[in-house]
Amino acid sequence: RQMQMLVTRFERLSRRISLAGLASGKQAVQAIAAGRVKVDGKVASSNFKVFTEANVTLDDTEAPPPGPRPKLWGLFKPRKVLCQDAEKEGEKTLRSLMRGWRNKEVKATGVTMAVGLDDECLDDKHFVIVSGLSYQADGLVLLTNDGLFAEALQNVQNRILTAYDVKIAGDPPVDLLHSWRKKARVGGIDYGQVFCSIIKRNGTTTRLRVRMVESPERPLDLLFERAKMRIYRMRRHAFGPYILGDVPPDRCVPLAVHRDLMALCPQADVRQALVPVRGGILTEQGKIRGVRLEDSAIWPSVGQEEVDTVYKGSWHGSASESYGPGAGPAHLRT
């Protein structure tokens, strides 16, 4: 088999399947143990690392190599929708919500115009939710195919600000809101700095714009509940550089990774390795020939006509074959 030295990317087998959206990391590990994963046509025996050029399949479905950056999507989550990727009978989830959007678009445009829509939709693919919303809240929700990237976005040490529009009953205690700017701590949970500004106020309700570093361990509704402020409505307006106006109300759309978040992307394992060569090299006469050593110290170009008779489409030679000048069997091993 012909080999070539390339700079390529290595990924753990389960991670490659997860990044392709075919299954979660845990499900991929179980599939490998069950013998359902193949690498270059052979059943994978363990969860080893594979390079980009390897052909990976799960149940005969190809897992393409990941791109240079994680994928990111955004959608508007309505109220009374569970922010989870699993199906639940009798309840709407993000997965069932996206399936409904796709069926609605197919019905409106027709089957012919909807060709390729299955590849763009996420209702049948694995995804990771970045900082979900509560059942009664609505607003912007980000999805990604990379669990490590999602953890980095939710890490409080990275200080990514989230903005909420909160409608509460009556007038808020202004002194308490001012104290939150230094530090908010409720029920043993440290919320850090919470910035609240009044957008609109009338005799019965007040609308606040709340900015804070959000994480799953810092529920905003609990903060207002302990402060004895009744929430009528809570909507996430922005998460970091992404705002609710970037996404339509009835579709999940891909988003580019913002330049300010590039440092949070997981570092890929990129190194030089010997990988199989697919195809051949085109000569000046337009013919395809095999890959071989040329113009090297162990195989100089002089006497190339003798070399042409050695390997015809094969990298390995037999002991009875003749070798080029200065080349022996030791130089031809891969």
Side-chain angles (χ1 to χ4, degrees), residues 166-180 184 186 194 196 198 206-208 210 220-234:
V166 182
K167 184 179 180 181
I168 63 173
D171 291 331
V174 178
D175 294 339
L176 179 62
L177 298 185
H178 286 170
S179 67
W180 283 356
V186 171
V194 179
C196 298
I198 298 176
T206 303
R207 293 188 179 183
L208 302 174
V210 182
L220 184 61
D221 49 357
L222 178 62
L223 179 64
F224 278 80
E225 180 184 345
R226 293 298 180 89
K228 298 181 179 181
M229 288 184 279
R230 183 181 177 184
I231 296 179
Y232 283 152
R233 188 160 191 172
M234 184 169 64

Side-chain angles (χ1 to χ4, degrees), residues 1-195:
R1 192 175 186 181
Q2 297 175 349
M3 308 291 284
Q4 188 174 8
M5 188 69 73
L6 295 175
V7 176
T8 186
R9 174 176 175 173
F10 284 80
E11 292 288 353
R12 191 70 63 178
L13 195 55
S14 59
R15 177 168 168 79
R16 170 148 172 186
I17 295 174
S18 175
L19 292 177
L22 300 183
S24 65
K26 183 178 180 180
Q27 293 171 342
V29 172
Q30 295 173 351
I32 294 170
R36 297 161 48 200
V37 179
K38 293 183 179 180
V39 179
D40 290 337
K42 296 182 179 180
V43 177
S45 58
S46 63
N47 190 17
F48 50 82
K49 286 190 174 183
V50 294
F51 43 76
T52 300
E53 291 74 15
N55 179 263
V56 179
T57 58
L58 171 63
D59 296 333
D60 296 330
T61 302
E62 184 179 359
R69 298 186 185 93
K71 294 181 180 180
L72 198 64
W73 297 271
L75 59 83
F76 172 78
K77 185 196 91 69
R79 299 178 66 189
K80 298 183 179 181
V81 173
L82 291 175
C83 202
Q84 62 183 34
D85 61 343
E87 296 280 4
K88 189 173 182 179
E89 186 177 358
E91 294 286 351
K92 268 191 174 184
T93 64
L94 292 184
R95 192 173 295 277
S96 60
L97 180 68
M98 289 188 287
R99 181 176 292 111
W101 290 343
R102 182 182 65 167
N103 295 338
K104 181 180 178 181
E105 186 168 351
V106 171
K107 185 177 180 181
T109 60
V111 179
T112 304
M113 295 295 294
V115 172
L117 190 62
D118 293 343
D119 298 333
E120 301 176 4
C121 295
L122 297 177
D123 59 286
D124 58 346
K125 297 180 178 63
H126 168 69
F127 57 84
V128 181
I129 301 172
V130 180
S131 192
L133 288 172
S134 62
Y135 184 70
Q136 293 293 340
D138 62 356
L140 177 66
V141 173
L142 299 182
L143 310 175
T144 179
N145 67 331
D146 195 331
L148 298 178
F149 186 52
E151 291 178 3
L153 292 177
Q154 298 176 91
N155 193 336
V156 295
Q157 295 181 354
N158 294 324
R159 303 189 61 80
I160 298 178
L161 282 178
T162 304
Y164 279 90
D165 290 335
V166 182
K167 184 179 180 181
I168 63 173
D171 291 331
V174 178
D175 294 339
L176 179 62
L177 298 185
H178 286 170
S179 67
W180 283 356
R181 297 194 173 194
K182 296 181 179 178
K183 178 182 272 191
R185 187 177 182 88
V186 171
I189 302 175
D190 185 7
Y191 284 81
Q193 293 179 297
V194 179
F195 302 93

Side-chain angles (χ1 to χ4, degrees), residues 33 75 80 118 248 283 289 307 310:
L75 59 83
K80 298 183 179 181
D118 293 343
T283 64
R289 65 170 175 81
V307 177
V310 179

